[in-house]
Amino acid sequence: MQTRKLEHLMALIEMRNFRKASDAVHLSQPALSRSLRTLELELDVDLFDRSHGDLTPNEFGRAVYEHARRIQFELRELDRTVRRMKGLEEGELRVGLGPMVAALLLPGVLVELVTKYPKLRIIVNIASGKANLQMLKEDRLDVAVFDTRVVEARDDVTIEELPQHRFGFVVRPGHPLLATGRNAFLADFKDYPLGAPTLPPPLMSSARQAGLDQLQTVTCDDIATLLRLAAASDLVALVSLPVAASHILAGTLAELPIELPFDTQSHIGFMHVAARTLGPAASLFLDLIRTRLGELAVVGRAPTDSTRWGAIRALANPCTSINKTRMHWLECFNRMTDPALG
C-alpha cells in the first residue's frame, strides 16, 4: 500500500469537497477518484457511504483515517529524526525558556553551543511557562525549560526535573527594609513596589494564602530590567539569586533577609513532546543545562541569617573586608561566567 493513497483519503475526508481535495494533493478529480477506489480494492472494503450521492466516510473510512493520521505523523518524525541525526552542523534547535532560566543559563550555554557548532541554527523564545508550553504542543519548539508547575497531566509532555536553585528578594543597599535590622515579612511589602517575572499559579496561590493578595505590582519578564529597577528605586525584585550574584558582588544590590511561608526553590524542568525523540542538538542542550544547573545548585546554597546581615553591613561600609557571604556570591558568579570552572 502506498502512503500517498492514505494522503488522498485524508485530504478528502478533511476537506469534504472533491475539488478542494484534488487541488490540495495536486491531482485531477478523476485521478483522485481512481486512487481512492484502488485503496478500497486493496483493503477489500468500501470506505465511503455513496448511497446519497455524497462521499461520507463510513465506519471503515473513519478507522482508516485515524490510522493514516498516525502513520503520517510517524513518517514526519522519521524524516525529522534522520535529518537531525545527520549531525549538529546541519541541524536546527528551537528552544523555549522561562525568563529566570534564560537570565540564569542562556549566555553560558549559548557561548558553548555557538563556539563548538557554529553552523547549528538556534532559535530562542523567552516567554512565560504557559506560553512556552503552548508553543511546544503546537510543534513550534523542540524543547523547553521552565517552571514545571504550569504543566498538567493532560498536556502530554515528557518532563525531566532539573537541579534546583534558590530564588529570593533583592533590593538596593540603602533600602528602608534593610534598615530594620531584622528579617522582613511579606506584610512589609505593602508599602513598596514589588517586581517579578510572570509567576506560576501555585506560587501566586501561596502568596495569597499568606495574606498578600497582590504579590507583584510590576510584572516584567526581562530580568535585567527588574534588577536595574531594584538598584535605582525602592522596588523589591523577586529573582533567581544566582542571576543577581554579580550585582550583589558589586554592591549595587543586596539580598533581603525574609521569612517566607512557601518554598524558595525553583521547580525547573526540561520538556519535550512525549511522542518525539530528542535529536543530537536537543540532547546536547539538555546536557549543558543539566550541568550548569548542577553547578549552581551547589554554589547557590542559602547563606545563614548572620552572614546575610554581615553582607548588608559590609555594603554600607566600603572599608569592611569581604565577608563569607560575598565570597559565596563571588564563587557563584564565577561559575556562571567562566565555563572552565564547570
Side-chain angles (χ1 to χ4, degrees), residues 67-97:
H67 281 282
R69 285 185 59 195
R70 290 195 289 271
I71 289 171
Q72 291 301 317
F73 174 81
E74 291 299 329
L75 287 173
R76 289 194 298 271
E77 287 301 298
L78 173 62
D79 179 67
R80 187 196 300 265
T81 299
V82 170
R83 284 189 287 108
R84 287 178 176 175
M85 290 180 67
K86 286 181 179 178
L88 290 165
E89 292 296 331
E90 301 176 13
E92 177 181 272
L93 180 63
R94 302 171 302 168
V95 177
L97 298 172

Side-chain angles (χ1 to χ4, degrees), residues 49-67:
D49 180 4
R50 296 177 171 86
S51 59
H52 301 291
D54 58 2
L55 289 176
T56 302
N58 59 22
E59 182 180 2
F60 291 108
R62 291 191 293 272
V64 173
Y65 172 77
E66 290 302 323
H67 281 282

Side-chain angles (χ1 to χ4, degrees), residues 105 109 288-296 335-336 338-339:
L105 301 170
V109 170
L288 293 174
I289 291 290
R290 191 189 291 121
T291 300
R292 276 298 192 221
L293 281 175
E295 293 166 355
L296 291 175
R335 285 188 177 271
M336 289 176 61
D338 188 351

Side-chain angles (χ1 to χ4, degrees), residues 32-313:
L32 177 60
S33 180
R34 286 194 299 272
S35 174
L36 294 173
R37 188 57 189 159
T38 301
L39 180 60
E40 289 178 317
L41 291 173
E42 290 179 5
L43 296 172
D44 196 26
V45 293
D46 289 334
L47 300 175
F48 296 90
D49 180 4
R50 296 177 171 86
S51 59
H52 301 291
D54 58 2
L55 289 176
T56 302
N58 59 22
E59 182 180 2
F60 291 108
R62 291 191 293 272
V64 173
Y65 172 77
E66 290 302 323
H67 281 282
R69 285 185 59 195
R70 290 195 289 271
I71 289 171
Q72 291 301 317
F73 174 81
E74 291 299 329
L75 287 173
R76 289 194 298 271
E77 287 301 298
L78 173 62
D79 179 67
R80 187 196 300 265
T81 299
V82 170
R83 284 189 287 108
R84 287 178 176 175
M85 290 180 67
K86 286 181 179 178
L88 290 165
E89 292 296 331
E90 301 176 13
E92 177 181 272
L93 180 63
R94 302 171 302 168
V95 177
L97 298 172
M100 285 199 188
V101 176
L104 184 66
L105 301 170
L106 190 57
V109 170
L110 279 185
V111 165
E112 191 154 352
L113 281 175
V114 301
T115 300
K116 291 184 177 179
Y117 306 100
K119 293 184 180 180
L120 176 65
R121 294 184 299 278
I122 305 170
I123 301 170
V124 179
N125 181 70
I126 300 175
S128 67
K130 186 175 180 180
N132 275 319
L133 177 61
Q134 187 61 35
M135 292 183 68
L136 196 65
K137 292 159 64 176
E138 292 173 354
D139 195 30
R140 295 160 60 194
L141 295 174
D142 298 312
V143 294
V145 184
F146 54 86
D147 195 303
T148 60
R149 289 173 289 186
V150 304
V151 182
E152 300 179 7
R154 65 174 182 269
D155 287 323
D156 196 28
V157 296
T158 297
I159 302 174
E160 177 184 329
E161 296 287 347
L162 295 170
Q164 297 184 353
H165 62 278
R166 194 166 60 91
F167 65 85
F169 296 92
V170 296
V171 294
R172 62 182 178 85
H175 197 284
L177 288 177
L178 292 179
T180 63
R182 61 167 175 82
N183 287 359
F185 296 91
L186 285 179
D188 296 327
F189 291 172
K190 66 181 185 299
D191 296 326
Y192 302 99
L194 194 150
T198 304
L199 298 174
L203 186 55
M204 300 294 291
S205 176
S206 297
R208 285 193 293 269
Q209 291 173 10
L212 198 65
D213 292 333
Q214 182 63 44
L215 179 60
Q216 61 204 100
T217 55
V218 177
T219 300
C220 177
D221 286 338
D222 185 340
I223 304 300
T225 296
L226 283 178
L227 294 175
R228 285 195 293 270
L229 279 172
S233 70
D234 281 343
L235 179 131
V236 180
L238 174 61
V239 296
S240 168
L241 289 174
V243 172
S246 63
H247 300 269
I248 295 172
L249 180 64
T252 57
L253 288 173
E255 180 186 356
L256 177 64
I258 183 170
E259 298 288 342
L260 290 174
F262 48 78
D263 183 16
T264 60
Q265 295 293 324
S266 65
H267 293 266
I268 302 301
F270 180 90
M271 286 159 255
H272 63 92
V273 174
R276 176 160 300 152
T277 302
L278 290 181
S283 297
L284 173 62
F285 182 77
L286 171 58
D287 288 342
L288 293 174
I289 291 290
R290 191 189 291 121
T291 300
R292 276 298 192 221
L293 281 175
E295 293 166 355
L296 291 175
V298 172
V299 299
R301 293 186 299 269
T304 63
D305 286 343
S306 60
T307 54
R308 279 175 177 157
W309 284 111
I312 292 165
R313 286 189 291 271

